Amino acid sequence: NVFVVPSVTTILNVVGDPEALIKWALKETFKDIDWEKKEMGDYKKELQWLADIGTCFHEHAASVVMRRDPDLLRKGYDQILVYNIQYCIESFDEWVDRHEIEVLHVEQPFVSDVYLLGGTIDLIAKINGTTEIIDFKSGSVQEEKHKMQIVAYMMLARESGITVNQGRIVYCHRSKNRQLKEIVIYENEIKKYWDSVRAAKHLYQFLYSERKK
């Protein structure tokens, strides 16, 4: 039998701001109205575009840390997509130059039999000699939610026998006007955020069970 567990990002969606999400979806829907054809826009296209940006950016990041060819156009990525992540790429390359990095795992999936959670970790590496979980973001800063995500990944890695000392979120913005930002999560913060992750998981399970009724 196959037992499916939710991903960390899936359960953390319940801690988002639903009102803000609804407003965003409405804005994207009305923005693309075709008044002549009387057709509404589709916010799902914008969601897919943002997802594609994230995928493209993470491909660049993985290629750089693994010392593979980082040329996204040669890999078949859309030229417009690549153009739209140029500032992300510049920020990421700046981050790489700042640190001494010893790569341990890249885009590594983990599944916990204890916590019944799964997730794919962008990077596990020694950063300036300290073993860390690193997550790269190309979107907006959601500090508390992203700290919860990193701590959950730390727990998944530790259960798998990987000793990690701290976590790090690296924001590589698409906008030229926003600078590279790093947030480090230290050992003394883990309990606080892990308790929040567990609470989010309980809420997710409740909502999921209600939808199935």
Side-chain angles (χ1 to χ4, degrees):
N1 293 334
V2 177
F3 184 73
V4 179
V5 301
S7 70
V8 171
T9 52
T10 296
I11 67 159
L12 291 185
N13 282 337
V14 301
V15 302
D17 183 347
E19 185 177 346
L21 181 61
I22 291 169
K23 288 180 179 178
W24 176 85
L26 286 172
K27 183 187 76 171
E28 292 300 322
T29 298
F30 283 103
K31 184 175 73 175
D32 294 327
I33 289 179
D34 188 323
W35 295 103
E36 291 185 2
K37 296 181 179 179
K38 297 181 180 181
E39 292 179 352
M40 298 290 284
D42 185 359
Y43 71 90
K44 293 180 182 178
K45 291 181 180 178
E46 180 66 16
L47 282 177
Q48 185 59 55
W49 170 251
L50 295 174
D52 290 344
I53 282 178
T55 299
C56 189
F57 167 63
H58 279 80
E59 174 62 31
H60 172 82
S63 296
V64 170
V65 297
M66 296 181 71
R67 298 180 181 176
R68 300 188 311 229
D69 179 10
D71 191 316
L72 294 168
L73 295 177
R74 275 205 293 267
K75 294 179 180 180
Y77 283 89
D78 180 76
Q79 186 173 1
I80 297 176
L81 194 62
V82 174
Y83 173 79
N84 274 272
I85 66 163
Q86 284 308 301
Y87 294 124
C88 295
I89 289 174
E90 290 175 13
S91 293
F92 175 79
D93 293 347
E94 177 187 339
W95 178 80
V96 170
D97 290 339
R98 283 184 184 182
H99 300 287
E100 181 182 325
I101 304 170
E102 180 185 338
V103 176
L104 302 176
H105 302 278
V106 178
E107 297 286 348
Q108 180 68 43
F110 289 88
V111 177
S112 169
D113 294 328
V114 175
Y115 306 122
L116 300 180
L117 283 173
T120 299
I121 299 174
D122 288 349
L123 178 64
I124 304 177
K126 287 187 177 181
I127 306 297
N128 307 320
T130 301
T131 304
E132 297 185 0
I133 299 286
I134 303 104
D135 198 67
F136 302 110
K137 302 293 185 186
S138 58
S140 60
V141 176
Q142 301 177 57
E143 187 170 325
E144 293 300 296
K145 182 177 178 179
H146 293 157
K147 283 185 175 181
M148 290 167 63
Q149 181 184 0
I150 284 288
V151 167
Y153 287 164
M154 291 175 72
M155 300 300 288
L156 296 183
R158 287 178 174 180
E159 187 193 330
S160 298
I162 300 173
T163 301
V164 290
N165 306 109
Q166 59 193 36
R168 186 182 300 259
I169 310 164
V170 182
Y171 293 99
C172 302
H173 297 290
R174 298 190 299 276
S175 170
K176 183 179 181 180
N177 299 322
R178 303 184 71 178
Q179 296 180 339
L180 171 69
K181 180 176 181 178
E182 294 184 75
I183 297 173
V184 177
I185 300 93
Y186 297 101
E187 182 69 33
N188 61 2
E189 299 178 89
I190 290 178
K191 183 181 184 305
K192 169 189 172 182
Y193 289 105
W194 180 237
D195 286 345
S196 298
V197 172
R198 294 172 66 188
K201 184 169 185 286
H202 286 308
L203 178 57
Y204 167 81
Q205 289 173 323
F206 171 76
L207 295 173
Y208 182 76
S209 64
E210 287 296 304
R211 285 200 298 267
K212 293 180 69 176
K213 288 182 181 179

